[in-house]
Amino acid sequence: MPPPLTAPPTKRSGASPPDPATGSPEPTPGKKRLLATLPGLLLTCAVLGVLLVVSVVVAIGLGAAVVTPGETAHYLWAALTGGTIRADEVTTYQIIWQIRTPRVLLAALVGAGLSAIGVAVQAMVRNALADPFVLGVSSGASVGAVTVTVTGGLAALGIYAVSAGAFLGALAASVLVYVASARRGALSPLRLVLTGVALSFGFQALMSVIVYLAPDSEATSTVLHWTLGGFGAATWGVLPLVTAVVVVGMVVLHRHARALDLLALGDETATSLGIDPDRHRKALLLLVSLVTGVLVSVSGAIAFVGLVLPHLVRMVVGATHARVLTVAPLAGAVFMVWVDLVSRTLAAPRELPLGVITALVGVPVFITLMRRNGYVFGGR
C-alpha cells in the first residue's frame, strides 16, 4: 500500500500575517503565546499601570520648581487624606496640588481617550491612516474656538467659553460629516474618510480667514497656540466631565469589541457573521464625535496620538480589539504625560505646543512602522 499523501511542510515566516483592516502584524509566535494569553495581557497592563503611576508622580514634581518624588508623594497624600503641612511648604503644596496635579491627570485622560478612539476609528473606516481627527471633528472644534476667541461669544461662560465653542464646533462638524457622507441611510468607510478630509480642509481655510481678519494680535496668538494643543488651562473643574466621558467611551468601545473585529474584515463578512455594519458605524461615529469633541475642547488639537499608539499596541498584543482596547488607553496615558512634561520643561519658561512634540515623535515612528518587514498598509 502506498504511503498516504501529505502536504509538504510550509515555510513559516518570522511574523504572522497582518490584520486585513489596519495592516498591523500579529505578534510573532513566541510573543503571541506570551502576550495574547490572559496572564500576558494582565502582566502588560500591570507594567503599564505601574509605569503610569510613576510617570504621574515624576511629572507632577518636575517643572520650574523641582520637587523630589518623595516630597511630591507626601503632598499628594496630605491633599487626599487631609493631612497637615508646614507653613513654609504652603507655596510648594499649592503648586503641586492646584496647578500640576490637575494638568498631569488631564494629560493622562486625554492620552487614554485619544488612543482608544483611534483604535475605533481605524476599524470603523478600515483605514490604517485614520485617527480621531480624520472625520473633521478637530478642525470643526478649532473653528468654534477661534470664533469664540475673536468675537467674544459665549462670554457668559467665562473661562469655559473657548472650550464650549470648541465642543459646539466639533458637534457641528460631526453633523455635517454625517449628512454629507450618508447615502440612503448607509455610511460607507470610504465616503466617511473622503468627506472628513474634505471638510477638514474647508474648516482649516475658514479658521485661517477668521484669524487673518482678527483685529487683536494677542487673541490670534492664543488661538494658534490652542489649535496645536496644550494643558496650560487645566483645572480641577474640568476633570470630572473628562473622566466620565473617557470612562464611558472606553466601556462602550469594549462592548463593541467584537463588532470592531468584524467591521475590520469588511461589511460583507460582518453581515454574514450577524451584525449590521451601518448601525454599528453610526453608533461609533456618534461616540467618536462626542468623545473627541470633549477632549479637543479641553486640550486643543493634538495629532498623531490616536494614529500611532494603536499601531504600536497591535504590534505587541495582536489585532484583537478586546486586547488592544485594554492596553492602548494605558499606553496613551503614559505617552501623553511625558509629552506634556517635555512641552513645559524643554524650553522653560516658555511652553511648547503639544502638537509639535507629538508630530516630532509620531512622524519618525510612523515611517519606521511603514518600513518594517511584514507591516502592510492596505496591500503591498
Side-chain angles (χ1 to χ4, degrees):
M1 175 181 295
L5 296 176
T6 58
T10 57
K11 183 178 179 180
R12 297 180 61 89
S13 61
S16 299
D19 175 69
T22 63
S24 304
E26 289 279 358
T28 59
K31 291 180 181 178
K32 191 172 182 179
R33 285 193 297 269
L34 174 64
L35 297 176
T37 61
L38 180 59
L41 184 64
L42 293 177
L43 176 62
T44 303
C45 292
V47 171
L48 286 174
V50 172
L51 182 59
L52 177 59
V53 173
V54 173
S55 300
V56 167
V57 174
V58 172
I60 292 174
L62 294 180
V66 178
V67 183
T68 65
E71 292 176 326
T72 302
H74 166 68
Y75 293 137
L76 294 177
W77 182 255
L80 294 173
T81 61
T84 58
I85 57 174
R86 300 193 309 270
D88 60 336
E89 297 178 321
V90 172
T91 301
T92 305
Y93 170 80
Q94 293 292 335
I95 293 174
I96 292 296
W97 183 248
Q98 296 296 338
I99 299 176
R100 292 185 186 170
T101 299
R103 174 174 182 145
V104 173
L105 293 180
L106 181 61
L109 288 169
V110 171
L114 290 178
S115 299
I117 293 300
V119 174
V121 172
Q122 289 171 3
M124 181 178 68
V125 301
R126 300 186 62 219
N127 193 319
L129 300 177
D131 69 357
F133 304 127
V134 74
L135 302 180
V137 178
S138 175
S139 299
S142 298
V143 171
V146 169
T147 303
V148 170
T149 302
V150 172
T151 63
L154 303 179
L157 298 179
I159 61 174
Y160 301 106
V162 175
S163 296
F167 181 69
L168 293 176
L171 290 184
S174 303
V175 173
L176 287 176
V177 169
Y178 175 80
V179 172
S181 59
R183 186 176 183 182
R184 298 177 181 176
L187 291 175
S188 70
L190 180 59
R191 291 176 66 88
L192 273 175
V193 172
L194 294 179
T195 303
V197 170
L199 289 179
S200 292
F201 282 110
F203 288 135
Q204 290 172 11
L206 179 60
M207 181 183 66
S208 299
V209 171
I210 296 175
V211 171
Y212 180 78
L213 297 177
D216 189 352
S217 60
E218 182 178 353
T220 302
S221 177
T222 301
V223 166
L224 292 178
H225 187 274
W226 184 89
T227 54
L228 291 175
F231 299 115
T235 63
W236 284 108
V238 303
L239 286 180
L241 173 62
V242 177
T243 302
V245 169
V246 171
V247 171
V248 171
M250 289 191 296
V251 170
V252 174
L253 287 178
H254 270 283
R255 293 177 62 90
H256 283 77
R258 180 177 178 274
L260 290 172
D261 289 334
L262 299 181
L263 286 175
L265 298 176
D267 288 2
E268 292 184 1
T269 303
T271 302
S272 66
L273 293 176
I275 74 167
D276 184 348
D278 287 330
R279 181 173 64 85
H280 283 84
R281 195 168 284 120
K282 291 176 184 177
L284 289 170
L285 175 62
L286 177 61
L287 177 66
V288 167
S289 301
L290 291 176
V291 176
T292 303
V294 171
L295 296 181
V296 172
S297 70
V298 298
S299 65
I302 305 174
F304 282 100
V305 180
L307 174 62
V308 176
L309 265 296
H311 289 297
L312 292 176
V313 171
R314 288 189 188 98
M315 293 179 63
V316 176
V317 301
T320 302
H321 285 87
R323 298 197 301 263
V324 177
L325 287 171
T326 301
V327 178
L330 290 172
V334 173
F335 175 72
M336 188 54 66
V337 167
W338 284 100
V339 167
D340 178 60
L341 177 61
V342 171
S343 75
R344 56 187 170 88
T345 58
L346 186 62
R350 301 182 65 182
E351 183 175 319
L352 295 175
L354 295 178
V356 173
I357 300 174
T358 55
L360 291 176
V361 175
V363 169
V365 170
F366 199 66
I367 292 176
T368 302
L369 288 177
M370 288 192 296
R371 295 181 64 87
R372 281 177 59 94
N373 292 333
Y375 204 94
V376 183
F377 288 84
R380 296 188 176 186

